[in-house]
Amino acid sequence: MPTLYTHVKPDIDAYLALWGAKKFVHGMSQASVVYVSGSWDGASMQPDDMAVDLQAGGRGIKGVVDSDGSVHSSSSYIVSTYASKEDAEAIKDLVRFVDIQDAYGSVVHYLIKNASQEARRIFAVTSIGAVLRAIEYAHPNDSSTVFQRMSDIFDGYLEMGRANVRAIAEANQAELFADGKVAMVRGKKEKRTDHILWERGVLAIVYVDGFNLGVVRRGEGTILKDGSIFRADHA
């Protein structure tokens, strides 16, 4: 069985890199996890082992280094290298958040530095980084349990992202009427399809599933002044 190595007192990048390696790298799903010193030289690594967020004497996986010296996350490297295009798309925002945190130190300052103090504070205490800190408070000095809890969260992000990708594809297949104010969706399966269509300016959605028909209207705006959305001349 291969071994996954990362540094003691892991940060969000190390945990996401561990999870990404187990999820996306062939043969690593059952790998044991070992936490070592950040200065560990990796001399004891076997051919099938992997070290993430570690130099490990040149054997480890660190992030890409920019020309200005900024070091990006090892997790972004693992996802971009080993995940499928669809799964990389599904978790791109999570990976981007961690990459910004790792490369620049503060996602709040990098993304919303001009927001109000309250907005920045709320963002900071509810981010995925804050979730990690909360779990660490609940399980102090127990990286194995923290990794298990974070893996559940990352799994949820992946499944949510996959569902969103499917919903976007479903929304793209919708037929539009009345200058894009009405959409017809056949055989809807994804919960977020309607939200995506609302964001695109649709005001009413007609769902067709076999011989069943349903209409959902957004709670604002006017669809057609005469109240008709099904007349052929509005198609």
Side-chain angles (χ1 to χ4, degrees):
M1 180 186 299
T3 300
L4 268 169
Y5 295 92
T6 196
H7 54 83
V8 295
K9 297 183 179 179
D11 56 5
I12 187 69
D13 179 35
Y15 282 123
L16 184 59
L18 288 174
W19 173 83
K22 279 178 164 284
K23 183 67 63 174
F24 302 123
V25 180
H26 179 72
M28 298 302 290
S29 62
Q30 300 302 314
S32 58
V33 176
V34 175
Y35 303 93
V36 297
S37 167
S39 60
W40 179 63
D41 65 6
S44 60
M45 288 180 66
Q46 300 301 307
D48 292 336
D49 294 344
M50 180 178 287
V52 298
D53 205 24
L54 284 169
Q55 292 290 351
R59 301 175 179 87
I61 295 176
K62 293 287 286 184
V64 175
V65 181
D66 286 342
S67 58
D68 63 0
S70 299
V71 182
H72 290 270
S73 63
S74 59
S75 54
S76 65
Y77 177 86
I78 287 172
V79 171
S80 64
T81 302
Y82 296 103
S84 67
K85 180 180 179 180
E86 294 76 15
D87 282 348
E89 175 69 18
I91 56 172
K92 66 178 182 180
D93 292 332
L94 171 63
V95 172
R96 178 62 175 151
F97 181 100
V98 173
D99 190 58
I100 292 171
Q101 183 76 36
D102 210 54
Y104 306 112
S106 172
V107 180
V108 173
H109 182 74
Y110 189 86
L111 291 180
I112 58 170
K113 63 181 178 180
N114 295 323
S116 69
Q117 184 176 0
E118 179 185 34
R120 286 185 280 118
R121 184 182 70 251
I122 292 172
F123 183 89
V125 300
T126 57
S127 69
I128 189 66
V131 170
L132 170 58
R133 292 192 295 274
I135 295 174
E136 288 176 331
Y137 271 106
H139 303 281
N141 303 313
D142 188 354
S143 297
S144 295
T145 298
V146 172
F147 177 50
Q148 291 173 7
R149 300 292 183 270
M150 292 304 296
S151 292
D152 288 339
I153 293 170
F154 297 148
D155 283 343
Y157 269 104
L158 177 60
E159 292 306 319
M160 181 171 63
R162 285 170 171 170
N164 192 61
V165 169
R166 294 193 299 269
I168 290 172
E170 199 167 67
N172 290 342
Q173 294 174 359
E175 300 174 60
L176 298 178
F177 305 89
D179 297 324
K181 295 179 180 179
V182 179
M184 180 177 290
V185 178
R186 301 180 185 275
K188 175 179 179 289
K189 296 181 175 63
E190 299 301 328
K191 294 180 180 179
R192 278 194 48 80
T193 301
D194 50 355
H195 296 286
I196 293 168
L197 290 170
W198 300 146
E199 291 171 354
R200 295 178 179 180
V202 170
L203 298 180
I205 303 172
V206 180
Y207 295 114
V208 181
D209 187 1
F211 294 105
N212 299 312
L213 183 71
V215 179
V216 178
R217 178 176 174 177
R218 189 173 183 178
E220 60 184 52
T222 301
I223 300 172
L224 295 173
K225 291 183 179 179
D226 63 3
S228 171
I229 64 173
F230 296 112
R231 282 175 24 199
D233 59 346
H234 288 302

